[in-house]
Amino acid sequence: MSTLRTPASTPRTTNPDWWRDAVVYQVYPRSFADSNADGLGDVAGITSRVPYLAALGVDALWLSPFFPSPLADGGYDVADYRAVDPRLGSLEDLDALLRSAHEHDLRVIVDIVPNHTSDEHEWFRAALASAPGSPERARYVFRDGSGTAGELPPSDWVSNFGGSAWTRVPDGQWYLHLFAPEQPDLDWSNPEVRADFEDTLRFWSDRGVDGFRVDVAHGLAKDLSTPYRPSNEHALPLDGSDPLYDRDEVHEVFASWRTVLDEYDPPRAAVAEAWAPAPRRVLYARPTELGQAFNFDLLEAPFESAAFRSIIERNLAASEQSGASSTWVLSNHDVVRHASRYGLPDHTDTDAWLLTDGTTPELDRERGLRRARAATLLMLALPGSSYVYQGEELGLHEAAAIPRDQLQDPKWIRSGHTVKGRDGCRVPIPWTTSGPSFGFGDVAPLLPQPADFGASSVEAEDGDPASTLSLYRAALDARRRLQQGEELTWLDSADGVVAFARHDGWRSVTNFGTTPVPMPSGDVVVASGPLPGSLPGSAAGTLPGETTVWLA
């Protein structure tokens, strides 16, 4: 009879299904809080802000990579999966963060990056020092080139960051990297690779980590048979036949991971970043695999009632099919913040907008924030888990005007300076109204903050009942009191309105239009904006445009 493994640190409550309806706050460690005045966020800085996160009302924090990394891709190029980057702290600092989070009854999810390592990982250095065909090279995807003397890449596969997905090494072979050249892809058909990552899952779970976010989960399995077939991640087939993405063999990996995660009491949670078609994405979320998969559909949707309702219906049905709960996301570390997306004309090319430093088309900041608040309140009323990105509770807009010479995203270089990339959503968040980094630390931060950031700081918004921070606190408090089960019932509503009921009479009503509509009966629990003509605690009057209200 097997014995369940006991982590070093655990939350006060041990509900094994906590992840099914959690609100998870994503922390990008290098831009959250700087504790030692070096301009770089760190683990101790995160620990210092745990009381803030607990008071905000979230259930868990997800830590983007904090591992040793040369930062070719913001930490998603990992040099050591079982350590903390010395610039960010130590394992002891990470243990202290886990203890503090658990004392505040917060879970902690960490990023795992299994598709590729850093080129500074000891395995890759050993591969470069070894001969073709060696066991060291077999951990990665090394192949001979094409052309008369192997001088051309083995295939026409393209990197997600632009250019060829192959780089040649001095002895003439080429290695595969679906992202930057500094991120060589691992070969997941190699048993040594599989065993090592299972050991990594145990390493962090033993220390008290409650779950894992799996980066590029759909990219691990690859068909490397020749002749190499073309790949198109943007139009993946439904039969798992693309040579690089969403292949059926990947589910063997995650089935074995589930066995490891279930060695713990409660079992460790996991969520897949799997950019796969919806009918295929649910496979990653099966109880026999990771348990959840990110649904990015709202993140990509225009602010339109028909689009939101269709996405919600489709994903709730998919979750019921897989046995998982739904996940909902409006912003993260890879996209323009939704307060800015919603303030631009629908279907704006945000890459092109960033190249104008956010000047063309003109951003309607007030409208963008109004829509963002409405969308967030709707999202938080839905069954399943909601993922909140740091700073969105402050209503932060994208930092679109970062000077070219201070951009750090590899997309800027790899695209030939045609895509500014993701730095604008990774700018350190503001805690105070003034100071060299608006409270992020005592010196200027790693990325320059907008001059007006202080007005959106925690200090500026704390105590202001009309602030976005106050809205998030009120909504998360109400959600914790109201959320039960995973059922949703659609309500009859006017054009441009999305309305549904949960349990015990809790209703969410969103007016996506610009014209006020009659307010349904009931007591107001929380609203994303002012309700003209309403009495305190009453829903008499009208529901303004681009506004969400919860009624009980």
Side-chain angles (χ1 to χ4, degrees):
M1 182 175 181
S2 61
T3 301
L4 294 175
R5 301 168 73 98
T6 303
S9 174
T10 58
R12 293 197 303 268
T13 57
T14 56
N15 174 16
D17 293 327
W18 65 268
W19 51 271
R20 294 190 69 91
D21 62 357
V23 177
V24 182
Y25 185 100
Q26 182 188 358
V27 172
Y28 197 74
R30 290 170 173 81
S31 61
F32 191 65
D34 171 18
S35 71
N36 61 356
D38 64 355
L40 189 68
D42 47 49
V43 175
I46 300 169
T47 304
S48 73
R49 302 297 186 181
V50 165
Y52 166 81
L53 296 174
L56 182 62
V58 299
D59 301 297
L61 44 150
W62 151 29
L63 303 177
S64 290
F66 51 80
F67 314 110
S69 169
L71 300 183
D73 183 23
Y76 283 89
D77 48 318
V78 179
D80 185 346
Y81 289 88
R82 299 175 205 160
V84 175
D85 192 317
R87 292 167 292 185
L88 275 63
S90 64
L91 281 173
E92 290 73 23
D93 291 327
L94 198 284
D95 290 340
L97 171 57
L98 289 169
R99 286 194 300 270
S100 179
H102 289 161
E103 288 167 2
H104 288 82
D105 216 19
L106 296 172
R107 271 75 175 182
V108 178
I109 296 170
V110 302
D111 244 308
I112 290 293
V113 188
N115 179 70
H116 48 262
T117 72
S118 165
D119 61 352
E120 294 188 10
H121 191 285
E122 63 178 2
W123 275 8
F124 194 70
R125 292 201 303 267
L128 292 181
S130 302
S134 64
E136 291 80 6
R137 289 208 175 179
R139 297 165 177 157
Y140 294 89
V141 181
F142 278 86
R143 294 294 185 271
D144 294 330
S146 60
T148 56
E151 74 280 7
L152 300 177
S155 75
D156 63 356
W157 294 337
V158 176
S159 161
N160 282 272
F161 291 161
S164 174
W166 298 93
T167 289
R168 199 177 193 188
V169 299
D171 62 29
Q173 279 205 310
W174 299 73
Y175 68 87
L176 179 68
H177 52 88
L178 296 185
F179 294 88
E182 296 87 354
Q183 295 169 289
D185 279 37
L186 290 161
D187 187 342
W188 274 85
S189 67
N190 187 323
E192 186 179 4
V193 171
R194 296 193 181 197
D196 192 73
F197 269 88
E198 291 177 8
D199 288 344
T200 294
L201 295 175
R202 292 188 182 97
F203 177 87
W204 292 113
S205 297
D206 287 344
R207 301 190 88 92
V209 165
D210 302 286
F212 300 91
R213 179 262 189 186
V214 185
D215 186 65
V216 196
H218 63 306
L220 307 191
K222 300 174 176 69
D223 177 8
L224 298 168
S225 60
T226 54
Y228 299 106
R229 295 182 293 112
S231 171
N232 184 359
E233 188 181 13
H234 302 293
L236 292 176
L238 294 177
D239 60 0
S241 62
D242 187 89
L244 297 180
Y245 300 103
D246 189 40
R247 296 188 57 77
D248 289 336
E249 302 95 303
V250 77
H251 299 291
E252 301 170 12
V253 174
F254 297 132
S256 68
W257 282 26
R258 175 45 56 192
T259 299
V260 173
L261 300 175
D262 285 349
E263 294 174 0
Y264 295 84
D265 183 19
R268 307 293 91 170
V271 58
E273 182 205 33
W275 292 90
R280 299 274 304 178
R281 190 170 61 227
V282 298
L283 302 178
Y284 299 82
R286 290 177 291 191
T288 54
E289 295 189 28
L290 296 176
Q292 274 192 335
F294 276 126
N295 152 32
F296 294 125
D297 295 349
L298 286 182
L299 182 150
E300 298 180 313
F303 189 82
E304 297 173 355
S305 59
F308 268 62
R309 174 155 179 169
S310 174
I311 286 168
I312 294 166
E313 289 179 326
R314 183 170 67 248
N315 283 282
L316 289 178
S319 295
E320 183 176 1
Q321 173 191 343
S322 69
S325 61
S326 297
T327 62
W328 309 103
V329 184
L330 291 171
S331 281
N332 65 26
H333 65 290
D334 281 334
V335 299
V336 170
R337 289 183 176 274
H338 65 288
S340 290
R341 295 200 314 271
Y342 293 151
L344 295 168
D346 288 343
H347 312 296
T348 293
D349 181 338
T350 54
D351 285 336
W353 176 72
L354 288 172
L355 281 175
T356 72
D357 292 341
T359 61
T360 307
E362 184 178 359
L363 171 64
D364 187 336
R365 295 176 64 90
E366 181 179 342
R367 188 182 198 193
L369 180 55
R370 182 171 64 249
R371 285 175 156 191
R373 289 164 58 111
T376 294
L377 196 56
L378 183 157
M379 176 186 77
L380 292 174
L382 293 170
S385 296
S386 296
Y387 285 78
V388 175
Y389 181 51
Q390 64 177 43
E392 70 172 75
E393 79 276 15
L394 303 175
L396 295 186
H397 282 278
E398 188 80 358
I402 299 173
R404 266 70 168 164
D405 62 354
Q406 296 186 55
L407 293 172
Q408 300 178 12
D409 194 326
K411 285 189 175 184
W412 176 241
I413 301 298
R414 296 281 293 173
S415 68
H417 296 173
T418 61
V419 178
K420 285 184 73 173
R422 302 157 293 178
D423 289 329
C425 65
R426 300 178 180 184
V427 167
I429 65 174
W431 295 92
T432 59
T433 57
S434 60
S437 61
F438 298 106
F440 167 71
D442 294 333
V443 299
L446 70 158
L447 283 169
Q449 299 158 302
D452 61 357
F453 243 25
S456 298
S457 65
V458 174
E459 182 182 26
E461 297 195 14
D462 190 26
D464 177 1
S467 71
T468 302
L469 178 59
S470 292
L471 170 64
Y472 272 69
R473 286 172 173 167
L476 292 174
D477 178 67
R479 186 184 192 274
R480 183 165 289 180
R481 289 185 284 107
L482 294 170
Q483 182 90 319
Q484 299 174 29
E486 298 174 17
E487 298 298 318
L488 177 152
T489 302
W490 293 106
L491 302 175
D492 292 337
S493 56
D495 290 343
V497 175
V498 171
F500 55 85
R502 296 296 309 278
H503 38 73
D504 299 333
W506 174 26
R507 288 163 291 155
S508 173
V509 183
T510 303
N511 180 4
F512 281 83
T514 56
T515 303
V517 297
M519 180 79 77
S521 62
D523 292 331
V524 173
V525 178
V526 62
S528 66
L531 302 177
S534 298
L535 299 174
S538 168
T542 59
L543 178 61
E546 302 175 338
T547 303
T548 296
V549 64
W550 290 357
L551 302 169

